[in-house]
Amino acid sequence: MCFETEVSKIENLKVLRNVSLKNYCGYGVGGNVNYFFIPNTITALIFGLKICDTYNIPFFLLGNGTNLLFSDKGFNGAVIYTAKLNDIVIKNDILQAECGANLNAVINSCIHNGLGGLEKLAGIPATVGGAITMNASAFGVNISDYLQDVTALVDGKEQNFTKKECNFGYRNSIFLKNDIAILSARFKLRKENPFDLDITRKECLSVRGAIQPKARSCGSVFRNTKVYSAGKLIDEAGLKGLTVGGAQISNIHANFIITKDNATALDVYLLIEKVKETIKRVYNIELKEEIQKIGDF
Ligand SMILES: Cc1cc2nc3c(=O)[nH]c(=O)nc-3n(C[C@H](O)[C@H](O)[C@H](O)COP(=O)(O)OP(=O)(O)OC[C@H]3O[C@@H](n4cnc5c(N)ncnc54)[C@H](O)[C@@H]3O)c2cc1C
């Protein structure tokens, strides 16, 4: 049997060929991927990954694509899109979510059930898997702060990772540079008044609305250094509005690159390189990307 025949036999796994990644990237750019898997169940995800492994097909786990820059040349392999794996279950103060659950849906469930902790993360356009991988944070709260444990697939076997074993850091975790698929996660939250939680959520959303551009983006492009805010450095270097093709440094938030319909991944890539060169020349500081570049540039 060949790879295509085997994957086509997996129940609850939709397999598409030659899919454009543009629709799955915050910047709306990127080439095609050979295989695009949409598992409807965790079991289908596991079988899909195992067959990729057997046939040595490179794979990539895609959440909401809001931290990714796909190359115009695309990705040679399989992209596993987790959006349909979105179950959320609450028991007492524990919330369990599948990897593709939308973070804002998780926060809605928390607030509805009077469970506090994650409400300041409202507005981050992430899936649970993407947010844990990146250790997403906002307003002083990291997603890892309330994480209890993660179930993941390692070398074809399900494994439990305690919070400590996830090795969380600033926009970092054990999942970032490893072929480990997060399947589901549990959060331990605290009982709070839903009304108060909703007020906090709305305040955070309102601040976001005021300081972030509404155009297409992948949020902050560069990591802050230990001392400096990347956005402040870029702003003070006079780079707001700098444009390459259809990509531009936002005039509203200097750490955001926004894209127009005609943008390519190369435009975004070259703009990133221009910013890095300028900040190195002007301040002798090497900025590092927060976003991930996928494929060849
Ligand atoms: C308008 C805007 C505002 C933003 N604000 C913030 C903010 O306040 N704070 C913040 O931290 N970030 C922010 N971001 C960035 C981004 O939303 C986060 O990095 C988010 O965590 C990415 O989640 P995602 O589901 O889109 O992941 P993706 O971009 O799809 O993937 C990110 C990484 O996670 C991996 N991944 C995804 N799912 C799994 C899985 N199931 N198992 C293993 N690995 C997986 C991917 O392979 C990739 O390495 C913002 C982005 C935008 C566009």
Side-chain angles (χ1 to χ4, degrees):
M1 251 198 296
C2 69
F3 175 72
E4 288 193 21
T5 316
E6 282 215 44
V7 286
S8 70
K9 290 192 169 159
I10 300 175
E11 268 180 45
N12 293 309
L13 181 73
K14 193 168 174 183
V15 182
L16 304 174
R17 294 284 325 256
N18 288 325
V19 169
S20 165
L21 293 168
K22 275 186 186 174
N23 299 328
Y24 302 94
C25 161
Y27 293 120
V29 299
N32 286 11
V33 62
N34 312 63
Y35 302 100
F36 193 82
F37 288 7
I38 311 176
N40 269 314
T41 62
I42 294 283
T43 309
L45 168 73
I46 294 173
F47 277 115
L49 288 176
K50 280 187 179 167
I51 293 182
C52 286
D53 209 34
T54 309
Y55 285 86
N56 272 326
I57 304 285
F59 67 85
F60 183 81
L61 281 140
L62 172 66
N64 208 16
T66 60
N67 200 52
L68 301 174
L69 176 62
F70 290 114
S71 155
D72 296 318
K73 295 172 195 152
F75 181 71
N76 199 359
V79 162
I80 326 285
Y81 184 48
T82 62
K84 298 262 161 100
L85 307 172
N86 53 15
D87 270 8
I88 300 170
V89 178
I90 294 181
K91 262 194 199 149
N92 301 319
D93 60 350
I94 304 289
L95 179 145
Q96 170 162 318
E98 287 184 339
C99 58
N102 184 297
L103 183 60
N104 290 290
V106 167
I107 294 167
N108 284 345
S109 301
C110 287
I111 295 179
H112 187 71
N113 287 278
L115 293 176
L118 300 178
E119 61 283 354
K120 289 189 176 171
L121 304 181
I124 302 180
T127 59
V128 163
I132 291 174
T133 301
M134 297 309 300
N135 193 14
S137 67
F139 302 105
V141 174
N142 304 298
I143 191 152
S144 55
D145 295 347
Y146 294 90
L147 187 83
Q148 181 169 274
D149 65 331
V150 168
T151 304
L153 196 73
V154 187
D155 296 332
K157 290 197 187 91
E158 280 187 52
Q159 192 176 317
N160 216 265
F161 287 79
T162 61
K163 177 169 154 174
K164 199 165 173 232
E165 287 166 339
C166 295
N167 285 345
F168 286 114
Y170 169 52
R171 297 289 179 275
N172 204 1
S173 73
I174 195 169
F175 309 107
L176 189 56
K177 289 207 177 88
N178 293 294
D179 282 346
I180 303 177
I182 297 170
L183 304 177
S184 64
R186 279 147 298 280
F187 298 91
K188 187 168 170 52
L189 302 145
R190 43 169 205 250
K191 288 269 174 208
E192 276 188 53
N193 182 323
F195 183 75
D196 295 340
L197 293 172
D198 197 37
I199 289 181
T200 307
R201 168 176 57 181
K202 284 187 178 135
E203 282 169 359
C204 293
L205 287 173
S206 151
V207 174
R208 267 180 194 280
I211 62 170
Q212 293 182 353
K214 303 214 169 16
R216 287 189 319 203
S217 81
C218 275
S220 293
V221 177
F222 298 100
R223 293 161 180 268
N224 294 322
T225 73
K226 285 209 169 101
V227 185
Y228 300 105
S229 139
K232 200 155 183 277
L233 288 174
I234 299 166
D235 191 1
E236 286 173 1
L239 297 180
K240 271 184 170 172
L242 183 70
T243 300
V244 173
Q248 184 179 57
I249 301 293
S250 163
N251 282 308
I252 297 169
H253 191 313
N255 202 9
F256 276 50
I257 287 179
I258 56 170
T259 54
K260 295 193 184 129
D261 284 348
N262 63 338
T264 62
L266 190 62
D267 294 340
V268 180
Y269 176 86
L270 292 176
L271 187 54
I272 289 173
E273 292 304 307
K274 273 196 176 189
V275 171
K276 283 164 79 174
E277 273 167 36
T278 310
I279 298 302
K280 173 76 181 154
R281 180 167 40 78
V282 177
Y283 300 111
N284 198 25
I285 292 173
E286 282 180 25
L287 286 182
K288 294 204 165 50
E289 290 91 329
E290 176 173 325
I291 60 152
Q292 277 175 274
K293 289 177 266 184
I294 311 296
D296 297 329
F297 284 87

